[in-house]
Amino acid sequence: MDQLPIILCLGTLGFVAAFGYISVRATEKQMRDGNHRKSSLSRDGVEERLRRAATEGR
């Protein structure tokens, strides 16, 4: 019974580390991908959306 909190703590830390690693890998993959849409909050993202809207005729 004394080992249960230790097991739960290590399991939680392991899950958080694995989730963080997967998230970082996905973010890096999106940054390398040239076709991925940028955030509308960033300056180049706004320019990209305006450019696309102008070429689509909206």
Side-chain angles (χ1 to χ4, degrees):
M1 211 53 178
D2 292 335
Q3 295 177 351
L4 184 62
I6 295 170
I7 293 171
L8 291 174
C9 179
L10 292 176
T12 302
L13 288 174
F15 175 78
V16 169
F19 183 76
Y21 176 76
I22 292 169
S23 178
V24 166
R25 297 289 292 178
T27 302
E28 288 175 350
K29 182 179 178 183
Q30 288 176 355
M31 287 174 58
R32 285 192 306 265
D33 185 18
N35 297 329
H36 184 71
R37 291 175 55 180
K38 295 180 179 163
S39 171
S40 61
L41 299 176
S42 66
R43 179 175 300 190
D44 54 347
V46 171
E47 292 170 358
E48 176 184 307
R49 289 176 190 269
L50 290 173
R51 205 175 317 116
R52 187 173 350 132
T55 58
E56 291 177 358
R58 284 202 241 168

